[in-house]
Amino acid sequence: MPLPFLTADGVSDVDDDGDGDEILAHADQDRWRRPYRPGPWRVAIGALLLLLSAFMLLATMIVTFAGGWGGGVVCLAAALAVVGSAVQTLRVGVWVSPAGLRRVGFFVTRTLPWSEVGELRTVQQPVRWLGLPRTVQGQALTMSAQGEAEQPVLLTDHNADFLSRTEAFDRAVDTVGAWADEYRPVAA
């Protein structure tokens, strides 16, 4: 008896009836998507934050059962803040859709329609190592937006997604450039 399994991209490895009526997840072009996979550093930071929140929720339960309702509420609020931080850490990055380019930061998200996105360039410059204040020489994908003097940095090869993964950085830059070429309006 063959057992159907799902592959990594969510497609079944067994062809049920071959009619092709189902809509695949990657066929929905209108949703926001990250053009690259989150890196191991970003996933590790998120996992550690979730592990910390599990211990905090256990502490919440112990404090509440011991009769400290006020302390339980404070512990629960702190645990939920850590869970929210873990989720937001995993969301940080560049997202694309036919509507435009979205740069998601930890506190600020900025969306630009493709009509406002200018030239995308990879430049050598000092970049922040894992988002910390320390800078190292590296590559950055910058964007020239209409009405802005400073070119914002979209991706770097030393952030939590691409540290020690130069091939993944190059693929991500190519993918963001392909989205820009496809959806940016052509000057007449």
Side-chain angles (χ1 to χ4, degrees):
M1 166 173 102
L3 297 173
F5 292 98
L6 292 178
T7 60
D9 56 356
V11 179
S12 177
D13 65 350
V14 176
D15 189 17
D16 295 331
D17 54 359
D19 61 358
D21 289 339
E22 68 181 75
I23 297 174
L24 299 175
H26 63 274
D28 184 16
Q29 292 290 326
D30 291 332
R31 67 184 182 104
W32 288 96
R33 66 185 68 228
R34 188 190 318 242
Y36 55 90
R37 291 184 178 165
W41 283 94
R42 185 170 309 282
V43 173
I45 291 168
L48 286 174
L49 286 173
L50 288 175
L51 182 65
L52 175 66
S53 69
F55 287 120
M56 293 173 75
L57 288 171
L58 183 64
T60 301
M61 185 181 69
I62 292 170
V63 168
T64 304
F65 286 157
W69 291 100
V73 170
V74 170
C75 287
L76 179 64
L80 291 178
V82 172
V83 169
S85 297
V87 170
Q88 189 63 19
T89 298
L90 293 173
R91 287 188 62 235
V92 169
V94 174
W95 297 74
V96 292
S97 84
L101 180 83
R102 180 174 286 173
R103 207 175 59 189
V104 177
F106 193 79
F107 295 110
V108 178
T109 298
R110 183 162 179 227
T111 303
L112 286 173
W114 288 115
S115 60
E116 292 182 21
V117 173
E119 180 184 16
L120 295 170
R121 295 183 334 157
T122 304
V123 295
Q124 286 281 353
Q125 67 181 32
V127 296
R128 294 171 61 170
W129 183 76
L130 288 178
L132 299 172
R134 177 180 174 215
T135 60
V136 295
Q137 190 67 24
Q139 291 186 355
L141 176 65
T142 61
M143 168 188 68
S144 62
Q146 295 176 356
E148 287 190 18
E150 181 183 338
Q151 294 184 344
V153 174
L154 298 176
L155 301 171
T156 69
D157 63 346
H158 283 81
N159 69 6
D161 290 318
F162 303 112
L163 187 65
S164 302
R165 297 176 56 216
T166 56
E167 300 85 21
F169 176 75
D170 294 337
R171 280 193 311 268
V173 167
D174 292 341
T175 305
V176 172
W179 275 83
D181 291 341
E182 184 173 348
Y183 292 106
R184 202 172 17 199
V186 178

